[in-house]
Amino acid sequence: MEGDNKVMQAFQKSFVQVQSILEQNRILINEINQNHESKLPDNLGRNVGLIRELNNNIRRVVDLYAELSSSFARSVDSEGDSAGAVRSDTRPSQKRSRAI
């Protein structure tokens, strides 16, 4: 199906983006470790920016995985709907109720 092909292309694109960011993170972590081991004030100061960049990259990866998850759920739902299947949502709620 053409719809399946588009979904797979979107997943592939997202996974390539995630892999690229994770590779950047590996390089950043190596540089952060080298700077830390050097104990040089300039290198330690540079780590502040590198750690910020690392944190931003981690946020991007989380966002990409959330987007992938949502896209996958929509594609599964639409496949069920297009097949005429009746969907019963019997999954437990993700929210916890608070004790009062």
Side-chain angles (χ1 to χ4, degrees):
M1 284 189 173
E2 188 175 321
D4 290 343
N5 194 23
K6 285 183 180 181
V7 169
M8 288 306 296
Q9 286 176 348
F11 287 155
Q12 181 66 24
K13 180 182 174 188
S14 292
F15 282 122
V16 167
Q17 287 179 299
V18 166
Q19 288 300 322
S20 173
I21 295 168
L22 292 177
E23 176 61 20
Q24 290 173 12
N25 286 356
R26 185 186 67 75
I27 293 167
L28 284 170
I29 289 167
N30 285 339
E31 186 174 348
I32 290 166
N33 285 335
Q34 287 173 359
N35 289 345
H36 181 74
E37 289 171 2
S38 78
K39 306 273 193 253
L40 296 173
D42 287 346
N43 289 350
L44 295 174
R46 179 163 162 66
N47 273 358
V48 173
L50 294 174
I51 291 168
R52 280 194 186 114
E53 184 178 348
L54 182 64
N55 285 335
N56 287 334
N57 285 353
I58 291 168
R59 276 194 226 29
R60 286 174 49 209
V61 168
V62 168
D63 290 344
L64 284 167
Y65 276 132
E67 195 176 299
L68 270 170
S69 176
S70 178
S71 295
F72 181 75
R74 279 193 309 272
S75 72
V76 169
D77 285 348
S78 69
E79 281 181 20
D81 292 345
S82 66
V86 176
R87 184 170 177 259
S88 63
D89 195 354
T90 57
R91 293 175 291 190
S93 172
Q94 293 291 329
K95 294 182 180 179
R96 289 201 233 172
S97 57
R98 293 185 184 172
I100 299 178

